[in-house]
Amino acid sequence: MQGPHLESRTGTVHLVGAGPGDPDLLTLRAARLIMSAGLIVHDGLVSPEIMAMARAGARLVSVAKARSNHTMKQDAINALLVREALAGHDVVRLKGGDPFIFGRGGEEAEACRAAGVPVQVVPGITSALGASAAAQIPLTHRDSASIVTFVAGQCKGLTEQDWAGLAGKDRTLVIFMGVATAAQIAEKLMADGLAPETPLAVIENATRSEMRVLRGPLAGLPDLVQGQRVRSPALIVIGQVTAESDTALHAIALEAAQ
Ligand code: SAH
């Protein structure tokens, strides 16, 4: 039956966090939406295993972004979500990690609301938490980390960002999108007072089969990233907790070997 109420229906845009890659780390709500969606608009960071959960016949639109040309592309993504919803389609907008942690979910929600499109947000496990669990690096520690900061290592250009005040005692810094700018990041943090020997870990492809955890001192970050050919997606975790977990893992390995 073709009623006027059907024609005027506006779809809902679901901003859904896909987590760091391992499908087991999806929320039940995210899994349900992915498996039932007719249209999924997804980022490059969403793992192939998760995309494989979409139902047969679902329309899958990739909006993977090149590092340059961010602004224009984001406008086009916003317009796509609004257009589809106004045409009556529910949209699952699937993003790596959590949609509201460096995922530009805020902008997409705003664009939808401005166009009168209803929005629902489904949180995901941000890669910061996925990586910390997979590498067994606690981001907080009673003895050595009472502040955790999530930092965008490349966002509107490093120079516009205020790095002063990030360094300090008993802190953990989690740097997203920092591979390409690792040298500047190390330099800025040391200029702000972080000791060159501050321990860090680089976690590449966290929770995925090809995950790597690399460790070293802050001063060695550029060499570590270059020498080990670290590629995105990777997080840089800086602080004492990265050294403590290393010791703990060694102890476990030694015990197991005996
Ligand atoms: N919304 C996402 C972050 C998007 S910004 C989240 O909550 O995780 C993209 C950055 O996230 C990457 O440059 C990388 O620093 C980090 N990232 C995402 N997935 C990752 C993974 N599986 N392993 C390591 N880093 C990851």
Side-chain angles (χ1 to χ4, degrees), residues 212 214 220-230:
R212 286 198 296 170
L214 309 165
L221 177 63
D223 286 345
L224 186 69
V225 165
Q226 265 213 333
Q228 297 289 327
R229 304 175 148 273
V230 175

Side-chain angles (χ1 to χ4, degrees), residues 20 45 96-98 101-103 126-127 176-177 203 205-206 208 232-235:
L45 272 179
D98 180 85
I101 300 288
F102 303 129
T126 177
S127 56
F176 293 68
M177 300 173 278
I203 306 157
N205 283 308
R208 302 176 185 214
S232 182
L235 289 164

Side-chain angles (χ1 to χ4, degrees), residues 43-118:
D43 284 347
L45 272 179
V46 179
S47 68
E49 291 89 337
I50 289 175
M51 291 313 298
M53 292 167 61
R55 70 173 165 78
R59 199 148 55 99
L60 309 179
V61 180
S62 166
V63 291
K65 275 183 262 190
R67 261 209 310 142
S68 52
N69 210 5
H70 254 195
T71 325
M72 241 213 57
K73 279 277 184 99
Q74 187 61 49
D75 287 347
I77 294 168
N78 296 352
L80 169 72
L81 300 177
V82 166
R83 190 168 66 240
E84 291 289 344
L86 291 180
H89 304 134
D90 290 331
V91 185
V92 168
R93 171 68 177 109
L94 196 55
K95 293 168 169 293
D98 180 85
F100 282 173
I101 300 288
F102 303 129
R104 307 195 71 170
E107 291 158 72
E108 292 175 13
E110 231 169 79
C112 289
R113 282 194 298 264
V117 170

Side-chain angles (χ1 to χ4, degrees), residues 183-210:
Q184 292 103 301
I185 288 169
E187 198 179 298
K188 277 181 182 270
L189 289 174
M190 289 189 289
D192 280 340
L194 259 190
E197 60 274 13
T198 307
L200 61 75
V202 175
I203 306 157
E204 184 187 59
N205 283 308
T207 82
R208 302 176 185 214
S209 57
E210 61 276 35

